[in-house]
Amino acid sequence: MTAPRAGPAPQPAVGAAGLLWTDRWYLLAACAALAVVVDPLDLRLAAIPVIKHLALALALPACVLTVLGYRLRRPLPAAVRYRKVLSVFLPLLSLAAFVLAGSLYARAVEGIQNTFLNVGLYMLAAPLACAMVLHARAPERLVRGYVHIILAGAVVMSVALVVNFGVRQVYHEQIFLVVPLAVLFLSGPKPTMLRWAAGAWFLAMAWFSAKYTSYLIAGLTAGYLFVAVLIPRLARRPARERAAWVYWAGLIAIAGAALLAFIASRGSYRLPTGNVEFRLHTYSAAWERFLDSPLWGTAFAVEAVEKFTPYAIGIARNVLPTHSDVLDIVANGGLIAAGLCVWALVALFRRARAGPLAPAQLDDSWSPCAHTLAVIAAAGGATAAFNPILLQPSMAYLIWTSLGLLTGLALRLPAPRGAGAEHPALSTKGRTAPTSVGA
């Protein structure tokens, strides 16, 4: 009598599985990017070509090996077929191709060295990040690891902001990686006093940064917490509890406004200048380029910097970029590039809003990481409106990677509770349905 043939060994739950070595390799790329952004010893790492591009150089082979390893183990679920993923990223990939084509022409034909090549190249970090989540054995742990790496950098930068307050300005452009970390602590189901304190600490970094961009990001973060977290949670509470929350929130807001008014009236706090004259000059030049060719601009076939002549800045021999990545896209890509950019961001955020950012998902353990990624990406966009951070490889990598990981979660995680069957991307034969993120 022969023994019955054993069936295939069940695969571990996605949420319970550990990280593979390729996942850790990919997270090492995030560490490399963050090391350049933080640069705590002020070694000017962003000026060293090999180091500033190290993150993308590490992430690309890690992603390729992850995808190949996944395909050898099991077929890709129907819900995340490459055609569907490509359709999600089509506008962003089209914009990247537009920027890269013009930049390569400027470098190869016109001999221009300061091009928009980095802007187009690092947009590819988003689909790479999405591919990592779709093919990872433990996608939630991969995302959690990435967010914890950002948290470590945010702690270092926040300490430096406090130490240098009133002495010198530090981490002005990098503030989009600091203030939004408040979401990680304040969007959980049951924030403790320690989490409240951590959230307040990171929100307070806008004050210590003392820049208009920082205030904008703090307002964006607080507004997001109110709309995407507080209101959905209050909707589930009894009417009396909702009224109490509204009362205390209003009282705190009034007290905070009164404190700021008192400090300002005493003259003990000076508003930042913001280099208004310099910025208006560069913005005007960019707008003139757009008006010269509103449909496709310069097609990104020009220098990404220009000579600033009204007065001496004292850095880079007065050869500086426009202090707005958003205006650069409009001026050098015209309505075509602007339309592709808006289409790409709306498509990606709508996908995330229907998945990991849905109110029904708020009580899941991976939800704080998803909301944190969303605010980091949004804060990065707000910073890019007034600073040339997309030209800087490491910061551009972290912005697009955050958005890509969020999109990957939207395609991979289960549907919101009450929406019916679980997400088909995680319900293939021979596999155990995933649990929420492990600790």
Side-chain angles (χ1 to χ4, degrees), residues 329-344:
I329 290 174
V330 173
N332 297 284
L335 295 175
I336 294 176
L340 287 172
C341 186
V342 172
W343 181 15

Side-chain angles (χ1 to χ4, degrees), residues 120-133:
L121 182 63
Y122 279 85
M123 289 179 184
L124 303 180
L128 284 180
C130 180
M132 284 297 300
V133 174

